[in-house]
Amino acid sequence: MSIHAPLYSLLASPASTSPSGITTLSLPIVIAVAIMIAAAICASFLAYFARARRIVRETSAALSAIGDLNARFIERVTPLPVLAANFTYRASSKANFDRFDLNEYARSCVLEREYWFASEIEARKLRAGEYASYSNELMAAGERTIGRSSDDRVKPSRYKKIEQRLFYRSILARPTPIAQVVTTVTYTSPQGRNSYRKHTEWGFAALQSHLQTAQAVRAQRSTTTYLRAQERRLLTPSLRADILRRDASRCRMCGASASDGVVLHIDHVVPVSHGGRTVSSNLQTLCQSCNLGKSNRFSG
Ligand SMILES: [Zn+2]
């Protein structure tokens, strides 16, 4: 009996009554029962809403329409990863670091991988375009179908609310193109006493416009190079001889001749890079030093 005494006292205590007539240990029980009832109510509410959602999902023309639309577009509008690249340049001196043009360097790096950058940009623009078509079709489908379905098992106002919420939640995310092209130039002084670093960062729009600039500059350069080569080809040995004879084999600027030990050049009066042509009226004989002095003035 002694072994059962603690158990007995524990079991006995709920039975002991307070003056009000409520058992003294009944409060925790009341709380437990209240929690159970509340949980049961919650569960039934959740079950009710889950059932309503399921019914709306199964019967709504709008949700069926957006489901079909998403299935058709999802692969074409899924956002592509950030278009990322890092370019780094180590400057050879502090002066080199100071006048280093980060954007120009970045443009040359981008141009080296031009095909890759161009196709990655294009792929992202294509997705943005596809998303525009998706949006248009989505709006049309929404107008045509939202609020047009119902089901006897769900209150119309609740049906409409659930349908709208599920519809907007189903809209695919916009594939906003993101680029992150970071270009850094560093310089560390001898013995590593001082370290310098500066960088520039391009987003998608900047990357696009810099690539266009780089392509335009290259096109311009290749045109100039082509024109120079062409004009040089036109300067035939016989045309050279004609000009030398006309100018009496003397520099038209200083009058020096081969007998003075100078090297004579045939020069374009208006440089080819400035639109000058290879015709005798635009050609003159110059000595090397006069020619150099002139080309320095005309540089650019
Ligand atoms: Zn000269």
Side-chain angles (χ1 to χ4, degrees), residues 250-257 262-264 285-291:
R250 287 187 176 279
C251 173
R252 286 265 291 262
M253 287 174 100
C254 69
S257 70
V262 300
V263 178
L264 294 173
T285 306
L286 287 185
C287 73
Q288 191 163 21
S289 61
C290 289
N291 193 20

PDB file of all heavy atoms in Angstrom, residues 250-257 262-264 285-291, ligand 1:
ATOM      1  N   ARG A 250      62.686  67.850-105.017  1.00  0.00           N
ATOM      2  CA  ARG A 250      63.019  68.651-103.835  1.00  0.00           C
ATOM      3  C   ARG A 250      61.820  68.662-102.880  1.00  0.00           C
ATOM      4  O   ARG A 250      60.672  68.580-103.304  1.00  0.00           O
ATOM      5  CB  ARG A 250      63.301  70.111-104.243  1.00  0.00           C
ATOM      6  CG  ARG A 250      64.623  70.246-104.944  1.00  0.00           C
ATOM      7  CD  ARG A 250      64.981  71.712-105.183  1.00  0.00           C
ATOM      8  NE  ARG A 250      66.315  71.819-105.768  1.00  0.00           N
ATOM      9  CZ  ARG A 250      67.437  71.754-105.023  1.00  0.00           C
ATOM     10  NH1 ARG A 250      67.377  71.646-103.716  1.00  0.00           N
ATOM     11  NH2 ARG A 250      68.616  71.844-105.603  1.00  0.00           N
ATOM     12  N   CYS A 251      62.130  68.796-101.579  1.00  0.00           N
ATOM     13  CA  CYS A 251      61.066  68.922-100.575  1.00  0.00           C
ATOM     14  C   CYS A 251      60.334  70.221-100.822  1.00  0.00           C
ATOM     15  O   CYS A 251      60.954  71.280-100.926  1.00  0.00           O
ATOM     16  CB  CYS A 251      61.667  68.905 -99.161  1.00  0.00           C
ATOM     17  SG  CYS A 251      60.462  69.256 -97.875  1.00  0.00           S
ATOM     18  N   ARG A 252      59.010  70.125-100.919  1.00  0.00           N
ATOM     19  CA  ARG A 252      58.224  71.321-101.217  1.00  0.00           C
ATOM     20  C   ARG A 252      58.177  72.283-100.028  1.00  0.00           C
ATOM     21  O   ARG A 252      57.763  73.427-100.169  1.00  0.00           O
ATOM     22  CB  ARG A 252      56.789  70.906-101.603  1.00  0.00           C
ATOM     23  CG  ARG A 252      56.707  70.291-102.998  1.00  0.00           C
ATOM     24  CD  ARG A 252      56.334  71.347-104.053  1.00  0.00           C
ATOM     25  NE  ARG A 252      54.966  71.796-103.883  1.00  0.00           N
ATOM     26  CZ  ARG A 252      53.934  71.335-104.578  1.00  0.00           C
ATOM     27  NH1 ARG A 252      54.106  70.394-105.493  1.00  0.00           N
ATOM     28  NH2 ARG A 252      52.733  71.809-104.365  1.00  0.00           N
ATOM     29  N   MET A 253      58.587  71.824 -98.847  1.00  0.00           N
ATOM     30  CA  MET A 253      58.544  72.709 -97.688  1.00  0.00           C
ATOM     31  C   MET A 253      59.901  73.376 -97.433  1.00  0.00           C
ATOM     32  O   MET A 253      59.970  74.575 -97.252  1.00  0.00           O
ATOM     33  CB  MET A 253      58.063  71.952 -96.445  1.00  0.00           C
ATOM     34  CG  MET A 253      56.559  71.654 -96.515  1.00  0.00           C
ATOM     35  SD  MET A 253      55.987  70.611 -95.172  1.00  0.00           S
ATOM     36  CE  MET A 253      55.278  71.832 -94.097  1.00  0.00           C
ATOM     37  N   CYS A 254      60.985  72.560 -97.441  1.00  0.00           N
ATOM     38  CA  CYS A 254      62.284  73.153 -97.099  1.00  0.00           C
ATOM     39  C   CYS A 254      63.243  73.202 -98.299  1.00  0.00           C
ATOM     40  O   CYS A 254      64.319  73.776 -98.195  1.00  0.00           O
ATOM     41  CB  CYS A 254      62.920  72.413 -95.926  1.00  0.00           C
ATOM     42  SG  CYS A 254      63.435  70.733 -96.343  1.00  0.00           S
ATOM     43  N   GLY A 255      62.850  72.585 -99.395  1.00  0.00           N
ATOM     44  CA  GLY A 255      63.671  72.642-100.583  1.00  0.00           C
ATOM     45  C   GLY A 255      64.832  71.661-100.611  1.00  0.00           C
ATOM     46  O   GLY A 255      65.608  71.636-101.559  1.00  0.00           O
ATOM     47  N   ALA A 256      64.960  70.825 -99.580  1.00  0.00           N
ATOM     48  CA  ALA A 256      66.076  69.860 -99.551  1.00  0.00           C
ATOM     49  C   ALA A 256      65.892  68.818-100.635  1.00  0.00           C
ATOM     50  O   ALA A 256      64.768  68.492-101.021  1.00  0.00           O
ATOM     51  CB  ALA A 256      66.139  69.198 -98.178  1.00  0.00           C
ATOM     52  N   SER A 257      67.005  68.290-101.144  1.00  0.00           N
ATOM     53  CA  SER A 257      66.933  67.255-102.169  1.00  0.00           C
ATOM     54  C   SER A 257      67.777  66.063-101.737  1.00  0.00           C
ATOM     55  O   SER A 257      68.474  66.116-100.717  1.00  0.00           O
ATOM     56  CB  SER A 257      67.435  67.795-103.510  1.00  0.00           C
ATOM     57  OG  SER A 257      68.827  67.986-103.421  1.00  0.00           O
ATOM     58  N   VAL A 262      68.851  63.812 -97.701  1.00  0.00           N
ATOM     59  CA  VAL A 262      67.539  63.548 -97.084  1.00  0.00           C
ATOM     60  C   VAL A 262      66.809  62.472 -97.885  1.00  0.00           C
ATOM     61  O   VAL A 262      67.106  62.232 -99.047  1.00  0.00           O
ATOM     62  CB  VAL A 262      66.667  64.824 -97.004  1.00  0.00           C
ATOM     63  CG1 VAL A 262      67.343  65.903 -96.173  1.00  0.00           C
ATOM     64  CG2 VAL A 262      66.318  65.324 -98.396  1.00  0.00           C
ATOM     65  N   VAL A 263      65.866  61.820 -97.198  1.00  0.00           N
ATOM     66  CA  VAL A 263      65.006  60.834 -97.858  1.00  0.00           C
ATOM     67  C   VAL A 263      63.703  61.544 -98.250  1.00  0.00           C
ATOM     68  O   VAL A 263      63.091  62.219 -97.428  1.00  0.00           O
ATOM     69  CB  VAL A 263      64.704  59.652 -96.915  1.00  0.00           C
ATOM     70  CG1 VAL A 263      63.777  58.638 -97.580  1.00  0.00           C
ATOM     71  CG2 VAL A 263      65.995  58.987 -96.468  1.00  0.00           C
ATOM     72  N   LEU A 264      63.350  61.443 -99.524  1.00  0.00           N
ATOM     73  CA  LEU A 264      62.129  62.123 -99.990  1.00  0.00           C
ATOM     74  C   LEU A 264      60.923  61.189 -99.963  1.00  0.00           C
ATOM     75  O   LEU A 264      61.024  60.002-100.320  1.00  0.00           O
ATOM     76  CB  LEU A 264      62.344  62.674-101.394  1.00  0.00           C
ATOM     77  CG  LEU A 264      63.382  63.807-101.489  1.00  0.00           C
ATOM     78  CD1 LEU A 264      63.638  64.171-102.955  1.00  0.00           C
ATOM     79  CD2 LEU A 264      62.937  65.040-100.707  1.00  0.00           C
ATOM     80  N   THR A 285      56.001  66.309-102.786  1.00  0.00           N
ATOM     81  CA  THR A 285      57.254  65.711-102.336  1.00  0.00           C
ATOM     82  C   THR A 285      57.668  66.385-101.032  1.00  0.00           C
ATOM     83  O   THR A 285      57.656  67.618-100.936  1.00  0.00           O
ATOM     84  CB  THR A 285      58.351  65.920-103.400  1.00  0.00           C
ATOM     85  OG1 THR A 285      57.869  65.420-104.648  1.00  0.00           O
ATOM     86  CG2 THR A 285      59.641  65.220-103.017  1.00  0.00           C
ATOM     87  N   LEU A 286      57.966  65.573-100.006  1.00  0.00           N
ATOM     88  CA  LEU A 286      58.440  66.119 -98.732  1.00  0.00           C
ATOM     89  C   LEU A 286      59.642  65.308 -98.271  1.00  0.00           C
ATOM     90  O   LEU A 286      59.736  64.109 -98.558  1.00  0.00           O
ATOM     91  CB  LEU A 286      57.359  66.017 -97.653  1.00  0.00           C
ATOM     92  CG  LEU A 286      56.152  66.967 -97.713  1.00  0.00           C
ATOM     93  CD1 LEU A 286      55.280  66.767 -96.472  1.00  0.00           C
ATOM     94  CD2 LEU A 286      56.569  68.433 -97.812  1.00  0.00           C
ATOM     95  N   CYS A 287      60.526  65.985 -97.549  1.00  0.00           N
ATOM     96  CA  CYS A 287      61.604  65.233 -96.938  1.00  0.00           C
ATOM     97  C   CYS A 287      61.062  64.576 -95.673  1.00  0.00           C
ATOM     98  O   CYS A 287      59.999  64.941 -95.185  1.00  0.00           O
ATOM     99  CB  CYS A 287      62.798  66.137 -96.608  1.00  0.00           C
ATOM    100  SG  CYS A 287      62.499  67.222 -95.218  1.00  0.00           S
ATOM    101  N   GLN A 288      61.814  63.605 -95.136  1.00  0.00           N
ATOM    102  CA  GLN A 288      61.303  62.838 -94.004  1.00  0.00           C
ATOM    103  C   GLN A 288      60.959  63.717 -92.801  1.00  0.00           C
ATOM    104  O   GLN A 288      59.904  63.554 -92.197  1.00  0.00           O
ATOM    105  CB  GLN A 288      62.341  61.786 -93.594  1.00  0.00           C
ATOM    106  CG  GLN A 288      61.786  60.790 -92.600  1.00  0.00           C
ATOM    107  CD  GLN A 288      62.665  59.544 -92.521  1.00  0.00           C
ATOM    108  OE1 GLN A 288      63.844  59.571 -92.890  1.00  0.00           O
ATOM    109  NE2 GLN A 288      62.098  58.455 -92.054  1.00  0.00           N
ATOM    110  N   SER A 289      61.856  64.680 -92.488  1.00  0.00           N
ATOM    111  CA  SER A 289      61.602  65.461 -91.266  1.00  0.00           C
ATOM    112  C   SER A 289      60.410  66.401 -91.452  1.00  0.00           C
ATOM    113  O   SER A 289      59.611  66.571 -90.536  1.00  0.00           O
ATOM    114  CB  SER A 289      62.851  66.211 -90.823  1.00  0.00           C
ATOM    115  OG  SER A 289      63.249  67.107 -91.828  1.00  0.00           O
ATOM    116  N   CYS A 290      60.242  67.004 -92.635  1.00  0.00           N
ATOM    117  CA  CYS A 290      59.071  67.849 -92.868  1.00  0.00           C
ATOM    118  C   CYS A 290      57.791  67.011 -92.830  1.00  0.00           C
ATOM    119  O   CYS A 290      56.768  67.441 -92.291  1.00  0.00           O
ATOM    120  CB  CYS A 290      59.173  68.580 -94.210  1.00  0.00           C
ATOM    121  SG  CYS A 290      60.427  69.871 -94.202  1.00  0.00           S
ATOM    122  N   ASN A 291      57.893  65.809 -93.389  1.00  0.00           N
ATOM    123  CA  ASN A 291      56.735  64.932 -93.423  1.00  0.00           C
ATOM    124  C   ASN A 291      56.307  64.542 -92.007  1.00  0.00           C
ATOM    125  O   ASN A 291      55.127  64.542 -91.676  1.00  0.00           O
ATOM    126  CB  ASN A 291      57.075  63.677 -94.256  1.00  0.00           C
ATOM    127  CG  ASN A 291      55.842  62.868 -94.602  1.00  0.00           C
ATOM    128  OD1 ASN A 291      54.732  63.394 -94.565  1.00  0.00           O
ATOM    129  ND2 ASN A 291      56.041  61.614 -94.934  1.00  0.00           N
TER     130      ASN A 291
HETATM  131 ZN    ZN B   1      61.659  69.284 -95.912  1.00  0.00          ZN
END
